[in-house]
Amino acid sequence: MVDSILQELNPQNKDLLLVALQKLSVHGRLDEHLLSKVAQHFNVSPAKVYGVASFYSFIPLVSTGRYVIRICKSISCDMANKDEIVTAIKEYLGIDSGQTTSDKMFTLLETNCLGWCDEAPAMIINDVPYTHLTNEKVIAILTKLKEEQ
């Protein structure tokens, strides 16, 4: 799988490094071995690949839960009481930001702007955006996801 994805991308075009990381991240976290393969393919240092991967919060470098909750930490969401939402999620799930629940169901991350500033506070769970968040709305969303299991 890794080799077939990399074979599609011209190793001379260093601009495709991010594309490679995005395509590979769809299959889970990018470990040291995988980052090394990408570095070899593009003939760049593993440090460069890690630097690119770690800059983007949507490229997983650690194992995540089934549902990855990304809470926007932009000023718009801050002004719309994002901290209260984060506190409610932490208390409900029993984890801190950057952690995954023991059942590997949820991971909570705070991330840069999600582009929903006019509907703050906002979060994305996997690829689904949620806006105009309240504590009650967030708990209802998480409860529904738990019940679907």
Side-chain angles (χ1 to χ4, degrees):
M1 181 260 326
V2 174
D3 292 330
S4 64
I5 289 173
L6 291 176
Q7 285 174 354
E8 296 173 6
L9 304 171
N10 179 354
Q12 303 305 313
N13 186 349
K14 306 294 189 250
D15 292 339
L16 295 176
L17 175 60
L18 180 57
V19 173
L21 294 171
Q22 289 171 319
K23 287 183 177 220
L24 292 168
S25 71
V26 170
H27 303 287
R29 99 177 167 92
L30 304 182
D31 62 18
E32 196 173 301
H33 174 73
L34 200 69
L35 295 177
S36 180
K37 280 192 106 163
V38 172
Q40 278 183 312
H41 179 77
F42 287 101
N43 195 28
V44 296
S45 73
K48 172 147 178 97
V49 175
Y50 179 79
V52 171
S54 63
F55 180 79
Y56 295 97
S57 65
F58 285 82
I59 297 177
L61 296 175
V62 296
S63 294
T64 59
R66 178 173 182 189
Y67 297 105
V68 179
I69 305 163
R70 289 183 169 89
I71 301 286
C72 182
K73 63 179 182 179
S74 72
I75 191 162
S76 297
C77 287
D78 278 341
M79 292 173 58
N81 298 320
K82 177 264 309 176
D83 289 339
E84 289 180 20
I85 305 300
V86 172
T87 298
I89 294 170
K90 288 177 178 181
E91 289 175 2
Y92 182 76
L93 296 177
I95 59 173
D96 283 322
S97 292
Q99 293 183 332
T100 300
T101 55
S102 60
D103 62 2
K104 306 288 187 230
M105 192 162 178
F106 295 99
T107 298
L108 176 60
L109 303 172
E110 292 184 56
T111 188
N112 292 319
C113 185
L114 296 172
W116 294 95
C117 299
D118 60 326
E119 298 182 42
M123 71 178 177
I124 292 179
I125 300 180
N126 293 353
D127 293 328
V128 180
Y130 298 91
T131 59
H132 299 292
L133 298 174
T134 63
N135 293 357
E136 297 78 19
K137 186 174 180 180
V138 167
I139 300 307
I141 292 165
L142 297 177
T143 300
K144 183 177 179 191
L145 291 172
K146 278 186 172 186
E147 290 172 353
E148 291 175 359
Q149 297 311 304

